[in-house]
Amino acid sequence: MEAAALSLLLLLNSVDSGSARVSLTVSPKRSQFFKYDSFSVSCEEEEQSEEEEQLSGWRVMKRTKDGEVRPCPAPCSITAAFPATDSGAYWCEAGPGRASSTVNVSVTAGSVVLESPVRPVTEGDNVTLVCVCRLSRCRGGVPADFYRDGLLVRNSSSGVTTVLGVSKADEGLYRCEVSGAGVSPESRLTVTAPPAGPAAPHPPPPLLSVSFLVRHLVVAAPYLLSTILLGLVYRSRAREQKSSTATGPSNDVIMEISP
Ligand SMILES: *[C@@H]1O[C@H](CO)[C@@H](O)[C@H](O)[C@H]1NC(C)=O
């Protein structure tokens, strides 16, 4: 019985930690799109980022520029994106206090977008930035300038540039410009520190959250109660037997149990 209770606790634990690391995925993996492009948004467990399965209980939320917040019903597929209604912040949510980090998506009516990592990158990674221009004269690649926080940081004759071994100093709001074609919207590049040690790739889930305590108490309560009840029943039975043998007048019993 105690083993069953323990395994139930362990099971709940694994559910708890499994759902704690959910992230929002944009497909294709970009945060800037042209008007009338199609893209889809889903919630995935970070450990299984290759799986396209939508997590149950989690839903995609969207806040547009005018501040309006509404869910994007699964599957959150946007066909023919529109700047005013599909630009904004997207995140995954599963009730109060359970939300993923936010991804900002820009849909532009212009002719230039910047392809940059949607999720934070790790210090030391190589990051490729692509300036995409949809005018026919851009076909095959055109020179582009890349700006970080408004300052020109790179230019590339092909519209593609790779930042080797990014550091915190590379963080910022990026945009690119193709001369004569226009400027892309801005997207934030976030650089995070590498994991502290090779032995600890995932920090343990917080142990003392309220939901954790409540769930464990609710599961443990029936086992505790039944254990106490059983104990009481055994004790009263034992007492009854004792008193019946003590007060029992039979000599036969005494003879039988003495060697
Ligand atoms: C998303 O956009 C909002 C408002 O423009 C900004 O405050 C926030 O920092 C952005 N978040 C990311 C991850 O870029």
Side-chain angles (χ1 to χ4, degrees):
M1 181 124 86
E2 274 169 32
L6 190 66
S7 57
L8 245 173
L9 286 178
L10 288 176
L11 186 73
L12 276 178
N13 258 347
S14 62
V15 168
D16 206 308
S17 59
S19 59
R21 303 173 69 78
V22 164
S23 67
L24 180 121
T25 297
V26 181
S27 180
K29 292 189 190 310
R30 285 155 50 181
S31 55
Q32 296 190 5
F33 296 93
F34 294 117
K35 190 177 174 181
Y36 304 133
D37 272 355
S38 299
F39 64 94
S40 65
V41 184
S42 57
C43 302
E44 286 164 17
E45 276 183 68
E46 269 174 30
E47 285 81 31
Q48 306 158 358
S49 55
E50 299 311 313
E51 263 180 43
E52 294 295 317
E53 190 185 321
Q54 180 78 24
L55 287 171
S56 62
W58 289 80
R59 58 181 186 169
V60 176
M61 303 295 292
K62 171 177 176 178
R63 181 173 52 242
T64 45
K65 274 185 211 148
D66 56 16
E68 192 187 351
V69 175
R70 54 169 59 177
C72 182
C76 178
S77 298
I78 287 135
T79 52
F82 212 72
T85 52
D86 298 312
S87 294
Y90 290 77
W91 69 95
C92 295
E93 200 175 278
R98 298 177 78 203
S100 72
S101 54
T102 296
V103 169
N104 286 340
V105 171
S106 298
V107 178
T108 177
S111 302
V112 178
V113 296
L114 172 69
E115 283 181 13
S116 62
V118 177
R119 289 198 204 162
V121 295
T122 306
E123 264 182 275
D125 283 356
N126 298 336
V127 171
T128 299
L129 305 172
V130 184
C131 198
V132 182
C133 161
R134 68 167 167 183
L135 301 180
S136 55
R137 71 171 183 85
C138 297
R139 235 174 257 146
V142 283
D145 292 331
F146 294 86
Y147 295 82
R148 185 188 65 231
D149 298 327
L151 296 172
L152 178 67
V153 286
R154 276 161 185 260
N155 51 34
S156 154
S157 57
S158 60
V160 181
T161 186
T162 300
V163 184
L164 295 173
V166 288
S167 68
K168 271 282 179 192
D170 296 310
E171 273 193 340
L173 277 177
Y174 282 78
R175 68 165 197 264
C176 69
E177 179 169 6
V178 173
S179 179
V183 184
S184 75
E186 283 186 315
S187 285
R188 181 167 297 282
L189 179 72
T190 304
V191 181
T192 58
H202 305 302
L207 278 177
L208 285 178
S209 70
V210 173
S211 74
F212 178 92
L213 278 178
V214 168
R215 253 191 272 178
H216 286 63
L217 280 178
V218 165
V219 170
Y223 291 98
L224 279 176
L225 278 178
S226 53
T227 307
I228 290 168
L229 278 177
L230 274 177
L232 288 177
V233 168
Y234 270 110
R235 247 174 54 176
S236 61
R237 283 237 183 108
R239 242 187 238 152
E240 263 173 37
Q241 271 178 359
K242 241 196 211 162
S243 60
S244 67
T245 48
T247 54
S250 168
N251 288 334
D252 297 344
V253 172
I254 294 166
M255 281 171 69
E256 268 177 29
I257 60 167
S258 21

